[in-house]
Amino acid sequence: MSLSHALLGLLAASPATGYDLAREFERDFGRYAWQAGHASIYPELGKLAARELVQVVDEGPRGSKTYDITPAGREELRQWLLRPPGSGVVRNSHVLRMFLIPVLDEDDQRAMLAAIEEQATAAAAELRVVLSTIPPSDGSPRSELGRLAAEFGLAQYEATRAWARRTLDGLGGSATRTPARGPRASVR
């Protein structure tokens, strides 16, 4: 995903100023989906305008500009959304930590997995509260922003919690092993 697609998506829901968009990134959108600040949003809006994917539809006091997505921008967003995610560069520190759990001794594995389970449980509870505060949809894209993402996030947290619990219950078995001390075995 890129900042440009996030901006196009927000503008597809409704026209907005750069300030309005920055506020979206300061709330749940930035917390759960994509982080960006004023310093990156305004230049990206300029690039999108130069590519004719967005346009200025109103200018307000103190030079504020209201942007809206163009038909070309809608098509760019549509194509991006319908394209299956590629296998580009992946940097996910949570998954990296899960890959590396077996290098810890069993007590540390238990502590780490218990922390993952606790964090996922707390995050799921928090998202349940967020979901309960989202007003019913009025059918507009703006009213739907976040609902599907929050439901997806809730499912992820619940799956993470269940995975951590299963892994904790399986410690001492084949799920994870205490790392061997001494010379490293060769990997084939």
Side-chain angles (χ1 to χ4, degrees):
M1 181 177 155
S2 68
L3 176 57
S4 62
H5 292 110
L7 292 170
L8 289 172
L10 290 170
L11 292 173
S14 66
T17 65
Y19 177 79
D20 295 331
L21 293 166
R23 287 184 48 216
E24 288 285 346
F25 284 94
E26 290 170 1
R27 294 193 283 259
D28 289 339
F29 193 85
R31 182 170 180 207
Y32 295 110
W34 193 266
Q35 291 184 349
H38 294 271
S40 56
I41 291 170
Y42 286 98
E44 193 63 34
L45 285 169
K47 291 175 190 174
L48 290 169
R51 292 176 52 204
E52 299 182 351
L53 300 177
V54 302
Q55 62 187 353
V56 175
V57 294
D58 189 31
E59 293 195 36
R62 295 180 303 274
S64 72
K65 298 176 182 177
T66 300
Y67 293 87
D68 197 3
I69 192 168
T70 64
R74 282 190 188 281
E75 183 57 25
E76 167 65 25
L77 179 62
R78 180 181 172 278
Q79 290 298 319
W80 180 79
L81 286 169
L82 293 176
R83 187 173 40 246
S87 59
V89 175
V90 176
R91 291 188 177 121
N92 186 324
S93 64
H94 298 296
V95 174
L96 176 60
R97 288 170 183 265
M98 291 174 191
F99 264 101
L100 299 176
I101 288 173
V103 303
L104 296 172
D105 64 35
E106 191 170 317
D107 288 341
D108 287 341
Q109 289 177 28
R110 286 186 185 286
M112 184 177 174
L113 290 163
I116 290 170
E117 181 182 26
E118 183 179 316
Q119 188 275 334
T121 300
E126 186 178 313
L127 267 181
R128 280 189 195 89
V129 170
V130 169
L131 278 165
S132 73
T133 64
I134 296 175
S137 175
D138 62 12
S140 71
R142 177 62 71 190
S143 71
E144 285 297 311
L145 282 179
R147 181 182 312 279
L148 292 175
E151 290 170 351
F152 178 77
L154 179 58
Q156 280 192 313
Y157 286 131
E158 289 173 343
T160 298
R161 187 211 52 78
W163 169 84
R165 173 52 35 207
R166 276 191 317 273
T167 306
L168 267 168
D169 291 346
L171 276 177
S174 62
T176 59
R177 299 191 190 286
T178 303
R181 304 289 180 206
R184 285 194 163 289
S186 64
V187 179
R188 293 182 191 206

